[in-house]
Amino acid sequence: MIDTIIAASHTCKGPAMPASAIDSTIFRAMFATEPMRRVFSDGNRIQKYLDFEAALARAEARLGIIPRDAAEEIGRHCDLGQFDMAALVAETVAIGVPVQPVVNQLVRLCRDGLGEWCHFGATTQDVMDTATILQIREALALIEADMAGIADGLARLARAHRDTVMAGRSYLQQAIPTTFGHKAAGLLAAFIRHRQRLAEIKPRLLVGQFGGAVGTLASLGDRGLAVQSALMQELALGVPDMSWHSARDRIAEIGAFLGLLTATCAKLALDVKLLMQTEVEEVSEPSVPGRGTSSTMPQKRNPVISALIGAAAPLVRQHAGALLEAMVEDHERASGAWQIEWVAVPEIFCLSAGVLAHTRLLAQGLSVDPARMRANLDLTRGLVTAEAVTMALAGEIGRHHAHHLVADISRQVAATGRPLADLLAENDEVARCLDRPAIARLTDPANYIGAAGDMIDRVLALYEAGT
């Protein structure tokens, strides 16, 4: 059966081609980034296994558990370039995990039998879990750089459009006025929270694994915890309070975080798509020649960046769910759930990197049309300010009565097409409470944005304090 599986990989004619969108020659730039692909590449993964083995040998030599010359010899060969990847692939398929094939080659590379001290007291999952954490540490540096770029773009939008009045929308309908700065600041506030979340998660997450067969370090006697501590010092990782072979909350938590982070990106992308509609046209994606064109309609400019964000972000959430499934593991070492992470972790990070890269471009290059926003506010002939009028009348005639009165007048606006201000001025009950200048003030959308500016300032202050 194993021979059949290996042979099947060579049956296709021509060179092997990527099959997934993440690695596809055509789609790769749309769904992932090259730096993140390198972090989760086979080469970097295997090198992290070797980094573990070299660090373990150094730690154990320092504690006098293995000979120093053995640690030096092992370290000399913990270099991916010395390994036969084809042989490693074949042996991995046969065994079911890649660590033993790596160790086997490492032992053979070492002189005078010194390689026998390799992997001393460790188990396969110690190596793979710690390597995953090392990869995640590299990946988070990329994630944080994009988060900073997105937040910077949103902060600039919030500052530039602090007082740019636009229609706030509820159930896709114009509701009352807001500002585009308020919309941008709301997203910026979410990114500030994401930055706080990640800062809280990292000390829990960036913890290595070294527990031996069932997590007790029994093979090292009374030296196990000393080796564990020395190993984590070598790798600059946190020391686990307990072995976590079958306690996968660390991995699930970072998956859930990426789900939250990319969902915020998708919210921005959805708003951009809606605001780019022909009937709205209040914003547009960064202009790049040829981007967003139609194969048949020369006039079209499609929201390509936002569409890609909207396509990839749900996949991140699906992988976050898979990582929660991987938490349900049997006993001290799992018989299947752990392997979910082998698929989900690289893909969730690669997809997240793609989402963040597109969102960064969107946030930093978004075009905003204040004139169109103002024109759209005028579409309802003043109805967007109906609440403002109601609240002004409430103190004179009661809120309930004022609501019904303005609702009746609003229906007349819809039926006749006349401006709300004119019909208010012609209503005797309204006229007894509000003169024409007061009505003009109340029906100007710019006068009904509440504390939007103060909220924007508060978020910007938080952002600047954090940078």
Side-chain angles (χ1 to χ4, degrees), residues 118 127 242 372 417 466:
C118 174
V127 182
M242 287 285 292
R372 180 70 178 193

Side-chain angles (χ1 to χ4, degrees), residues 21 23 32-33 36 49 53 77 106 116 202 276 293 304 351 377 414 433:
D23 293 314
T33 64
M36 193 63 80
Y49 297 167
E53 297 294 355
H77 296 290
L106 182 55
E116 294 297 333
K202 284 170 71 174
M276 278 185 69
T293 59
V304 174
L351 288 165
L377 280 167
C433 303

Side-chain angles (χ1 to χ4, degrees), residues 180-354:
F180 189 75
H182 188 262
K183 184 183 285 285
L187 290 160
L188 176 60
F191 270 87
I192 292 170
R193 292 192 295 274
H194 290 321
R195 183 171 57 197
Q196 293 167 341
R197 288 185 181 101
L198 187 53
E200 293 164 1
I201 290 169
K202 284 170 71 174
R204 292 192 294 270
L205 171 67
L206 300 180
V207 172
Q209 174 81 280
F210 184 66
V214 295
T216 63
L217 290 170
S219 63
L220 292 170
D222 62 358
R223 309 298 302 279
L225 292 180
V227 173
Q228 185 188 74
S229 180
L231 170 61
M232 300 313 156
Q233 185 180 20
E234 289 280 345
L235 296 170
L237 291 175
V239 178
D241 48 8
M242 287 285 292
S243 298
W244 50 278
H245 291 139
S246 58
R248 313 306 294 178
D249 55 286
R250 288 181 172 89
I251 306 298
E253 184 177 21
I254 194 61
F257 168 77
L258 293 174
L260 288 169
L261 178 63
T262 55
T264 299
C265 297
K267 187 273 186 289
L268 168 61
L270 177 59
D271 279 0
V272 168
K273 285 188 288 186
L274 292 171
L275 293 173
M276 278 185 69
Q277 291 180 101
T278 305
E279 296 82 0
V280 182
E281 288 188 328
E282 293 181 358
V283 306
S284 57
E285 291 187 349
S287 179
V288 175
R291 175 179 288 151
T293 59
S294 166
S295 63
T296 61
M297 295 169 282
Q299 84 283 4
K300 288 197 71 183
R301 183 175 169 191
N302 297 321
V304 174
I305 300 171
S306 299
L308 290 171
I309 295 168
L315 299 176
V316 174
R317 296 195 291 276
Q318 292 297 316
H319 281 305
L323 292 174
L324 291 171
E325 289 292 335
M327 289 184 65
V328 185
E329 301 201 349
D330 46 295
H331 300 306
E332 284 65 52
R333 297 284 294 280
S335 59
W338 175 49
Q339 284 80 351
I340 293 172
E341 294 178 3
W342 303 1
V343 177
V345 170
E347 291 195 2
I348 197 172
F349 273 96
C350 284
L351 288 165
S352 295

